[in-house]
Amino acid sequence: MAFKQWTAATLLACAAGAHAYEPQAGTWVVSSEVDGRPGRGLSVDVQNGTLALQMYAYESSGQPTFYLAVGPVADNRVTARLNRYTGGRFFGSGAQSGTEAQSPGNVTVRFTSGTTGFITFPNEPEKPISRFSFGYPRVPASLAGYWTFTSFGNEGMRADVVQLTTPVAGTANGNGLMVSSDGLFGCEHQTSGTLSGNVVCVRVSSGGTLQRSYLMSYSVNDGEGYSQTAGTGAQQFLVVRRVATARGDGTGIVYKASDDNAALPVPESALQTLRAHLAQVAAEESAAP
């Protein structure tokens, strides 16, 4: 059951016929400038085809400042005036509004996926940018929480809802599984092989039979990829969403934490079955032409 070769940048185009990316809202960075020290960064949001980009940066004198650019996105690209402001309200001041100061020029952004792209600042060459993930490193614990896996294709609409609670030892191609309390669902970051950088998940029956496999690329709480029923070649386009964190905190706008989120012991026999099926899925993909 090998997955097709794919990348996050081309996933939507291949699976759903779409070619436009609405980037994830949040903190973005100039990828080459991330060094763990204070620097400049971006806040990006796109709603209904309009980009709002806020940037914190510095003047040539070293003084900090911020900019705002707003413009329509077309074909994953936007060019907008980068506006600088001054004279606004400060901590402890009374009401006062800032005023637009001079603009250094236009900024151009082109997105290559929902989490990557390129930016051209005034007087600078084009540079890669990416969504900054500071709370979810590529480790097993980052997969904990309540997840929904929804896929659609020739099999129609398929859905799984699972709570991943327990970190356990992983497979040869990964860095450790995060599994459900019953040991029937598990996910793992792939750190080697052709799937490196992605996440593979499997669901098995209580008898240990592989029922479905999943391949996804995700950022923070959202993922995309493919799913397959065991024994078939049909691939379903997959949309994944973490609806609550490991603490039970909702990631949407309504859901609240539950009172009891304790992880239960997972049967070792179930873990061995999960590892075997997940390793097989990854191995079949590595061997696929």
Side-chain angles (χ1 to χ4, degrees):
M1 187 198 305
F3 287 106
K4 295 175 181 176
Q5 297 294 323
W6 61 277
T7 65
T10 60
L11 178 60
L12 284 176
C14 294
H19 297 273
Y21 302 99
E22 189 161 285
Q24 279 194 0
T27 300
W28 287 58
V29 292
V30 179
S31 304
S32 61
E33 298 178 7
V34 178
D35 59 5
R37 304 179 65 184
R40 58 184 184 175
L42 312 166
S43 173
V44 173
D45 197 4
V46 175
Q47 298 182 19
N48 199 22
T50 298
L51 170 85
L53 182 150
Q54 300 176 62
M55 180 182 183
Y56 54 91
Y58 300 88
E59 303 281 12
S60 59
S61 64
Q63 291 297 309
T65 188
F66 75 95
Y67 301 90
L68 173 66
V70 177
V73 181
D75 297 326
N76 302 319
R77 179 187 293 265
V78 57
T79 297
R81 175 184 170 90
L82 199 59
N83 294 316
R84 177 179 173 272
Y85 299 88
T86 187
R89 191 165 187 164
F90 57 89
F91 296 137
S93 74
Q96 58 188 56
S97 298
T99 58
E100 183 180 331
Q102 68 186 68
S103 168
N106 289 340
V107 61
T108 295
V109 186
R110 61 182 182 93
F111 296 104
T112 53
S113 77
T115 57
T116 59
F118 292 86
I119 195 165
T120 305
F121 296 119
N123 304 316
E124 295 188 24
E126 184 179 69
K127 298 178 179 179
I129 58 174
S130 57
R131 172 78 156 89
F132 186 51
S133 178
F134 56 85
Y136 291 102
R138 299 293 178 178
V139 297
S142 70
L143 293 170
Y146 290 86
W147 292 87
T148 61
F149 293 76
T150 305
S151 63
F152 51 90
N154 292 335
E155 296 176 334
M157 187 74 71
R158 304 292 294 267
D160 270 308
V161 179
V162 62
Q163 182 184 13
L164 300 178
T165 60
T166 308
V168 298
T171 68
N173 286 337
N175 62 359
L177 274 72
M178 183 64 67
V179 304
S180 59
S181 60
D182 59 8
L184 301 182
F185 200 108
C187 296
E188 183 181 41
H189 291 285
Q190 299 296 284
T191 56
S192 62
T194 59
L195 299 183
S196 181
N198 299 305
V199 173
V200 173
C201 305
V202 293
R203 173 164 56 82
V204 302
S205 69
S206 57
T209 302
L210 177 64
Q211 293 182 318
R212 198 165 191 85
S213 55
Y214 307 82
L215 171 64
M216 70 170 177
S217 175
Y218 86 102
S219 174
V220 187
N221 296 318
D222 296 284
E224 297 164 348
Y226 291 106
S227 74
Q228 284 182 268
T229 299
T232 74
Q235 293 184 345
Q236 300 267 101
F237 177 57
L238 175 69
V239 178
V240 183
R241 171 73 181 170
R242 190 199 321 255
V243 297
T245 68
R247 297 179 301 184
D249 298 332
T251 61
I253 61 175
V254 175
Y255 185 84
K256 296 183 179 180
S258 61
D259 294 330
D260 184 10
N261 294 295
L264 299 175
V266 183
E268 181 59 33
S269 59
L271 296 180
Q272 293 176 359
T273 300
L274 274 179
R275 293 190 192 100
H277 284 304
L278 200 150
Q280 181 182 357
V281 170
E284 289 177 349
E285 169 60 22
S286 298

